[in-house]
Amino acid sequence: MKENIIKNKIKLLKSQSGTHSPSIATILREIPEIEIKVDGCFLSNPYATELFFKYMKEELIDTGDIIRHLEFYPPQNYDVAKVLSSTINITPDKLFVGNGAIEVIQAMVHRFVKNKMVVIIPTFSSYYEFKKNDTQIVYYQLQKSNDYMLDPQDYVSFVTKEKPDTVVIINPNNPNGGYISKKDLIYIIESLNFVENIIIDESFVHFAFEDDSYEPVDLGTLVNKYSNLMIVKSMSKDFGIAGIRAGYGIMQPDKVQSLLKNGYLWNISGLAYYFFQTYSRPEFNEAYEKVRKRYIGETQTFLKELNEINGIKVYPSKANFALVELINGSYSFDFSMNMLANYGVYTRDCSDKIGLDGSFIRIASRNVEENRIIIESIKNTVEQQD
Amino acid sequence: MKENIIKNKIKLLKSQSGTHSPSIATILREIPEIEIKVDGCFLSNPYATELFFKYMKEELIDTGDIIRHLEFYPPQNYDVAKVLSSTINITPDKLFVGNGAIEVIQAMVHRFVKNKMVVIIPTFSSYYEFKKNDTQIVYYQLQKSNDYMLDPQDYVSFVTKEKPDTVVIINPNNPNGGYISKKDLIYIIESLNFVENIIIDESFVHFAFEDDSYEPVDLGTLVNKYSNLMIVKSMSKDFGIAGIRAGYGIMQPDKVQSLLKNGYLWNISGLAYYFFQTYSRPEFNEAYEKVRKRYIGETQTFLKELNEINGIKVYPSKANFALVELINGSYSFDFSMNMLANYGVYTRDCSDKIGLDGSFIRIASRNVEENRIIIESIKNTVEQQD
């Protein structure tokens, strides 16, 4: 009964929020009978949120200094870029700082994409939803038989045949977490030198790794070598600060200039500026590296435990989430609503994702205790449906 | 000596921040020898900042609840519009909520302006700076002989002759504070029914008044009657929260839909959403009305005192600032730098503003004590230059 009421209300909210999950704030406002214990939709490192918030509490809240960050105009884009520059080892003229990565994506898709863009599916839907009317989208389908992992050679031949002006690669990919190694990515970039814009979205790259040391991997500095490369980077996931809205793009200086020439004045809030300042401090980064590696370790354990549950298939992921196929015949929307109504665990029903063949949900890795709740509630929900 | 060092450093910063003042944060970071006592560039009601911060402190900071607003994704645009809707008596389908009014301006100028836009000068520069390459800007010059006040009939004949697709009217105007009465504005709107887009920027309208009761004036609901009308509204000035980045536009539903169709996902931060929620509460609005009227009263006193200083001319303003002409032969940049170096008062040198004939600075009204410091330092600076 309660389950059905909740289901119908969520259905309505979902229809209003397009192809993205309704936010926690919206759900709690519109469906007060719901109690969300674990937000398994939210793809963030909770330990990084704690770390950043510890800094913010000491420096802005306990001192009362926060009022300055709310009251006054924040610096302009180029000034924020100067603060970010040394942290990521990219000169400020190649940096476009955004009100979340989504603003960077919108800017790129509206301003630099021309007639034809190849998008790998399944994917993050904004890349094709944001397209202008006169841009054609061509989908490159990841193969289920290959566990939705990218085959670099097959991809390169597809793009070579299609001759788009733009390609988008999310690495690790959303919603499945498939990871393309740095070596393979460089092979792809080298092979696609005829493509005008290669957009690589590294929003989940802080959770990826090439070996057991979990050392950071990223491609930012390759923009110095390949002028057709553009990098998108969200701060919402790795630092768990989606409400602050902070992200950036790395691209050639002429592209940055063309964006700043007639827009993007004051697009960074006072708190986002404080975040970028904090991120530029070596001792913060040292502490961050620790919680990043801790979270990767815990996420790997979580993925292993998920893998052991009968009735579901977990796809290989080097992100902080798993794409889970319900192979016992459950519908993903029903499964996800049962999880929410019975256990307070909010997961991402993927029935609206194009390029997935079957019944899928996406589940984020949270902290140890929350991951335990997720595992238990999935086990129980699978058993109930059998 | 100190004055010259500061002057040169500011000159450099100014050249990097285009036609806007460098932010306080940027100035303090780059020129540590400066002590800014009064930010007379910042056009905000300080009492409203205090009021909002009191709410925020009690509800978000003291409770620790702020972390939720930083961590989670904020609601989408349409959801924020629903929260704002009842406060301003506009249905949500006519609301586009922005990351500051500047994002709304950028969206309008990039998406709805076509070939030709009439801009009244002097003005807020973004309207013409944000123009697309294929848009022609035609300037309508306010007459110095008429104290830079708009003559509605002359303006209507100018626009009728020019036949633009878009006109922009800022009311009260920035940088002079000239106010067009609601009656005159309706005459203008009625006369310009052939213009596709009439953009009215009401960012300073909370400081304007039609009689001594200081009752609120605004045109928002006229969008229901005139389908070519678009309203831009900043929250940074009246509520003194520029760092939060919050603004909105009122326009026809098809325009809102065309913006949200392929962009502006999650463009509102968690704190901006909290602001809009607070703004929707009647008891907050009642308290706000009091500080709004108090600030208007004090601003009027400040303008009167400014008016009495010899060697300057103060232009008529119904905004929270005054355009001041230096009629004793001072250069505005020198005057403004002397104010900063000698008295810690930061004012807006208007030498980069097009459409002003003479040497001008713009000065914000702050609180009573700060206004006293501003008045004293202007008096002293004028005397030194004589």
PDB file of all heavy atoms in Angstrom, chain A residues 126-140:
ATOM      1  N   SER A 126      23.108  13.787 -20.934  1.00  0.00           N
ATOM      2  CA  SER A 126      23.197  15.210 -21.317  1.00  0.00           C
ATOM      3  C   SER A 126      23.972  15.419 -22.613  1.00  0.00           C
ATOM      4  O   SER A 126      23.700  16.363 -23.355  1.00  0.00           O
ATOM      5  CB  SER A 126      23.841  16.025 -20.198  1.00  0.00           C
ATOM      6  OG  SER A 126      22.984  16.025 -19.076  1.00  0.00           O
ATOM      7  N   TYR A 127      24.946  14.546 -22.887  1.00  0.00           N
ATOM      8  CA  TYR A 127      25.746  14.767 -24.090  1.00  0.00           C
ATOM      9  C   TYR A 127      24.879  14.809 -25.343  1.00  0.00           C
ATOM     10  O   TYR A 127      25.092  15.619 -26.224  1.00  0.00           O
ATOM     11  CB  TYR A 127      26.858  13.722 -24.210  1.00  0.00           C
ATOM     12  CG  TYR A 127      28.034  14.083 -23.342  1.00  0.00           C
ATOM     13  CD1 TYR A 127      28.246  13.468 -22.119  1.00  0.00           C
ATOM     14  CD2 TYR A 127      28.900  15.108 -23.709  1.00  0.00           C
ATOM     15  CE1 TYR A 127      29.303  13.834 -21.298  1.00  0.00           C
ATOM     16  CE2 TYR A 127      29.965  15.489 -22.908  1.00  0.00           C
ATOM     17  CZ  TYR A 127      30.158  14.843 -21.700  1.00  0.00           C
ATOM     18  OH  TYR A 127      31.197  15.229 -20.904  1.00  0.00           O
ATOM     19  N   TYR A 128      23.883  13.908 -25.424  1.00  0.00           N
ATOM     20  CA  TYR A 128      23.029  13.994 -26.621  1.00  0.00           C
ATOM     21  C   TYR A 128      21.814  14.888 -26.391  1.00  0.00           C
ATOM     22  O   TYR A 128      21.318  15.521 -27.314  1.00  0.00           O
ATOM     23  CB  TYR A 128      22.635  12.601 -27.139  1.00  0.00           C
ATOM     24  CG  TYR A 128      21.934  11.690 -26.162  1.00  0.00           C
ATOM     25  CD1 TYR A 128      20.558  11.755 -25.969  1.00  0.00           C
ATOM     26  CD2 TYR A 128      22.646  10.739 -25.431  1.00  0.00           C
ATOM     27  CE1 TYR A 128      19.913  10.902 -25.083  1.00  0.00           C
ATOM     28  CE2 TYR A 128      22.002   9.889 -24.531  1.00  0.00           C
ATOM     29  CZ  TYR A 128      20.636   9.977 -24.363  1.00  0.00           C
ATOM     30  OH  TYR A 128      20.002   9.155 -23.470  1.00  0.00           O
ATOM     31  N   GLU A 129      21.345  15.008 -25.143  1.00  0.00           N
ATOM     32  CA  GLU A 129      20.178  15.863 -24.891  1.00  0.00           C
ATOM     33  C   GLU A 129      20.488  17.345 -25.114  1.00  0.00           C
ATOM     34  O   GLU A 129      19.615  18.121 -25.480  1.00  0.00           O
ATOM     35  CB  GLU A 129      19.685  15.670 -23.453  1.00  0.00           C
ATOM     36  CG  GLU A 129      18.996  14.341 -23.240  1.00  0.00           C
ATOM     37  CD  GLU A 129      18.684  14.051 -21.788  1.00  0.00           C
ATOM     38  OE1 GLU A 129      19.243  14.732 -20.893  1.00  0.00           O
ATOM     39  OE2 GLU A 129      17.908  13.126 -21.533  1.00  0.00           O
ATOM     40  N   PHE A 130      21.718  17.747 -24.835  1.00  0.00           N
ATOM     41  CA  PHE A 130      22.097  19.159 -24.968  1.00  0.00           C
ATOM     42  C   PHE A 130      22.365  19.566 -26.415  1.00  0.00           C
ATOM     43  O   PHE A 130      22.638  20.726 -26.697  1.00  0.00           O
ATOM     44  CB  PHE A 130      23.349  19.452 -24.133  1.00  0.00           C
ATOM     45  CG  PHE A 130      23.078  19.634 -22.662  1.00  0.00           C
ATOM     46  CD1 PHE A 130      21.836  19.343 -22.114  1.00  0.00           C
ATOM     47  CD2 PHE A 130      24.068  20.111 -21.809  1.00  0.00           C
ATOM     48  CE1 PHE A 130      21.584  19.510 -20.756  1.00  0.00           C
ATOM     49  CE2 PHE A 130      23.825  20.285 -20.453  1.00  0.00           C
ATOM     50  CZ  PHE A 130      22.583  19.990 -19.925  1.00  0.00           C
ATOM     51  N   LYS A 131      22.325  18.632 -27.331  1.00  0.00           N
ATOM     52  CA  LYS A 131      22.715  18.931 -28.712  1.00  0.00           C
ATOM     53  C   LYS A 131      21.854  20.049 -29.300  1.00  0.00           C
ATOM     54  O   LYS A 131      20.684  20.227 -28.950  1.00  0.00           O
ATOM     55  CB  LYS A 131      22.584  17.686 -29.574  1.00  0.00           C
ATOM     56  CG  LYS A 131      21.162  17.433 -30.090  1.00  0.00           C
ATOM     57  CD  LYS A 131      21.142  16.258 -31.031  1.00  0.00           C
ATOM     58  CE  LYS A 131      19.826  16.164 -31.778  1.00  0.00           C
ATOM     59  NZ  LYS A 131      19.643  17.234 -32.782  1.00  0.00           N
ATOM     60  N   LYS A 132      22.455  20.820 -30.202  1.00  0.00           N
ATOM     61  CA  LYS A 132      21.692  21.830 -30.923  1.00  0.00           C
ATOM     62  C   LYS A 132      20.881  21.151 -32.025  1.00  0.00           C
ATOM     63  O   LYS A 132      21.185  20.027 -32.434  1.00  0.00           O
ATOM     64  CB  LYS A 132      22.649  22.858 -31.531  1.00  0.00           C
ATOM     65  CG  LYS A 132      23.285  23.747 -30.464  1.00  0.00           C
ATOM     66  CD  LYS A 132      24.092  24.864 -31.098  1.00  0.00           C
ATOM     67  CE  LYS A 132      25.234  24.301 -31.923  1.00  0.00           C
ATOM     68  NZ  LYS A 132      26.065  25.342 -32.517  1.00  0.00           N
ATOM     69  N   ASN A 133      19.861  21.867 -32.512  1.00  0.00           N
ATOM     70  CA  ASN A 133      18.956  21.263 -33.493  1.00  0.00           C
ATOM     71  C   ASN A 133      19.666  20.711 -34.722  1.00  0.00           C
ATOM     72  O   ASN A 133      19.247  19.718 -35.294  1.00  0.00           O
ATOM     73  CB  ASN A 133      17.923  22.301 -33.962  1.00  0.00           C
ATOM     74  CG  ASN A 133      16.865  22.522 -32.898  1.00  0.00           C
ATOM     75  OD1 ASN A 133      16.659  21.652 -32.038  1.00  0.00           O
ATOM     76  ND2 ASN A 133      16.218  23.672 -32.926  1.00  0.00           N
ATOM     77  N   ASP A 134      20.750  21.396 -35.138  1.00  0.00           N
ATOM     78  CA  ASP A 134      21.371  21.004 -36.401  1.00  0.00           C
ATOM     79  C   ASP A 134      22.550  20.041 -36.228  1.00  0.00           C
ATOM     80  O   ASP A 134      23.313  19.825 -37.162  1.00  0.00           O
ATOM     81  CB  ASP A 134      21.786  22.250 -37.203  1.00  0.00           C
ATOM     82  CG  ASP A 134      22.499  23.263 -36.316  1.00  0.00           C
ATOM     83  OD1 ASP A 134      22.682  22.980 -35.107  1.00  0.00           O
ATOM     84  OD2 ASP A 134      22.880  24.329 -36.827  1.00  0.00           O
ATOM     85  N   THR A 135      22.683  19.470 -35.037  1.00  0.00           N
ATOM     86  CA  THR A 135      23.741  18.480 -34.846  1.00  0.00           C
ATOM     87  C   THR A 135      23.140  17.078 -34.918  1.00  0.00           C
ATOM     88  O   THR A 135      22.125  16.796 -34.296  1.00  0.00           O
ATOM     89  CB  THR A 135      24.413  18.654 -33.461  1.00  0.00           C
ATOM     90  OG1 THR A 135      24.930  19.975 -33.340  1.00  0.00           O
ATOM     91  CG2 THR A 135      25.546  17.647 -33.277  1.00  0.00           C
ATOM     92  N   GLN A 136      23.805  16.229 -35.689  1.00  0.00           N
ATOM     93  CA  GLN A 136      23.362  14.837 -35.780  1.00  0.00           C
ATOM     94  C   GLN A 136      24.143  14.003 -34.771  1.00  0.00           C
ATOM     95  O   GLN A 136      25.359  14.141 -34.651  1.00  0.00           O
ATOM     96  CB  GLN A 136      23.643  14.334 -37.207  1.00  0.00           C
ATOM     97  CG  GLN A 136      23.168  12.908 -37.454  1.00  0.00           C
ATOM     98  CD  GLN A 136      23.886  12.251 -38.627  1.00  0.00           C
ATOM     99  OE1 GLN A 136      24.671  12.912 -39.348  1.00  0.00           O
ATOM    100  NE2 GLN A 136      23.661  10.964 -38.826  1.00  0.00           N
ATOM    101  N   ILE A 137      23.430  13.164 -34.020  1.00  0.00           N
ATOM    102  CA  ILE A 137      24.101  12.277 -33.063  1.00  0.00           C
ATOM    103  C   ILE A 137      24.170  10.885 -33.659  1.00  0.00           C
ATOM    104  O   ILE A 137      23.167  10.353 -34.130  1.00  0.00           O
ATOM    105  CB  ILE A 137      23.320  12.192 -31.730  1.00  0.00           C
ATOM    106  CG1 ILE A 137      23.090  13.578 -31.115  1.00  0.00           C
ATOM    107  CG2 ILE A 137      24.021  11.254 -30.751  1.00  0.00           C
ATOM    108  CD1 ILE A 137      24.295  14.203 -30.486  1.00  0.00           C
ATOM    109  N   VAL A 138      25.346  10.300 -33.658  1.00  0.00           N
ATOM    110  CA  VAL A 138      25.492   8.915 -34.092  1.00  0.00           C
ATOM    111  C   VAL A 138      25.931   8.114 -32.880  1.00  0.00           C
ATOM    112  O   VAL A 138      26.887   8.481 -32.198  1.00  0.00           O
ATOM    113  CB  VAL A 138      26.552   8.785 -35.219  1.00  0.00           C
ATOM    114  CG1 VAL A 138      26.737   7.327 -35.616  1.00  0.00           C
ATOM    115  CG2 VAL A 138      26.154   9.632 -36.409  1.00  0.00           C
ATOM    116  N   TYR A 139      25.200   7.046 -32.584  1.00  0.00           N
ATOM    117  CA  TYR A 139      25.508   6.240 -31.400  1.00  0.00           C
ATOM    118  C   TYR A 139      26.470   5.111 -31.731  1.00  0.00           C
ATOM    119  O   TYR A 139      26.289   4.395 -32.726  1.00  0.00           O
ATOM    120  CB  TYR A 139      24.230   5.651 -30.802  1.00  0.00           C
ATOM    121  CG  TYR A 139      23.297   6.710 -30.244  1.00  0.00           C
ATOM    122  CD1 TYR A 139      22.015   6.887 -30.766  1.00  0.00           C
ATOM    123  CD2 TYR A 139      23.707   7.535 -29.194  1.00  0.00           C
ATOM    124  CE1 TYR A 139      21.164   7.861 -30.251  1.00  0.00           C
ATOM    125  CE2 TYR A 139      22.862   8.507 -28.680  1.00  0.00           C
ATOM    126  CZ  TYR A 139      21.592   8.666 -29.214  1.00  0.00           C
ATOM    127  OH  TYR A 139      20.756   9.619 -28.714  1.00  0.00           O
ATOM    128  N   TYR A 140      27.459   4.953 -30.894  1.00  0.00           N
ATOM    129  CA  TYR A 140      28.316   3.768 -30.963  1.00  0.00           C
ATOM    130  C   TYR A 140      27.915   2.872 -29.797  1.00  0.00           C
ATOM    131  O   TYR A 140      28.051   3.265 -28.621  1.00  0.00           O
ATOM    132  CB  TYR A 140      29.799   4.161 -30.858  1.00  0.00           C
ATOM    133  CG  TYR A 140      30.703   2.951 -30.780  1.00  0.00           C
ATOM    134  CD1 TYR A 140      31.055   2.244 -31.928  1.00  0.00           C
ATOM    135  CD2 TYR A 140      31.180   2.506 -29.540  1.00  0.00           C
ATOM    136  CE1 TYR A 140      31.863   1.125 -31.853  1.00  0.00           C
ATOM    137  CE2 TYR A 140      31.994   1.374 -29.462  1.00  0.00           C
ATOM    138  CZ  TYR A 140      32.322   0.691 -30.612  1.00  0.00           C
ATOM    139  OH  TYR A 140      33.112  -0.437 -30.543  1.00  0.00           O
TER     140      TYR A 140
END
